[in-house]
Amino acid sequence: MSYTAPHTTAGITINENADPDVVKDMLVGLDKAFPDRKEFCHAEGNSAAHLKSSCIGINQTVIIEEGKLLLGTWQGI
């Protein structure tokens, strides 16, 4: 099954889901890689979010087995 984020500033990734610090670290890393910059011209002011979405991607394909997502022990979407 394929999951797609229907928004231009959203992304979907599969990563570790057991330790909440991984989520925090991912967000810190993305903010450092794609900071908000005064040079951005997009009127809505969310150019950094568009960059993050393009980097992460808007879809993931996962296996469904017996009606459940088949992910690794530590994985989550």
Side-chain angles (χ1 to χ4, degrees), residues 10-44:
I12 299 175
T13 185
I14 297 174
N15 209 306
E16 182 175 328
N17 196 37
D19 182 354
D21 285 338
V22 172
V23 174
K24 292 176 190 172
D25 293 346
M26 291 281 293
L27 294 173
V28 167
L30 286 168
D31 285 342
K32 286 193 178 273
F34 304 103
D36 193 22
R37 297 182 174 273
K38 63 181 178 181
E39 299 90 6
F40 291 154
C41 297
H42 182 44
E44 291 181 12

Side-chain angles (χ1 to χ4, degrees), residues 2-76:
S2 182
Y3 289 91
T4 300
H7 197 280
T8 58
T9 56
I12 299 175
T13 185
I14 297 174
N15 209 306
E16 182 175 328
N17 196 37
D19 182 354
D21 285 338
V22 172
V23 174
K24 292 176 190 172
D25 293 346
M26 291 281 293
L27 294 173
V28 167
L30 286 168
D31 285 342
K32 286 193 178 273
F34 304 103
D36 193 22
R37 297 182 174 273
K38 63 181 178 181
E39 299 90 6
F40 291 154
C41 297
H42 182 44
E44 291 181 12
N46 60 351
S47 291
H50 287 282
L51 291 165
K52 292 171 189 174
S53 173
S54 293
C55 175
I56 294 295
I58 62 163
N59 60 32
Q60 288 288 326
T61 301
V62 294
I63 298 168
I64 305 293
E65 185 176 90
E66 297 180 9
K68 296 181 182 178
L69 297 176
L70 182 61
L71 297 171
T73 302
W74 308 112
Q75 288 182 319

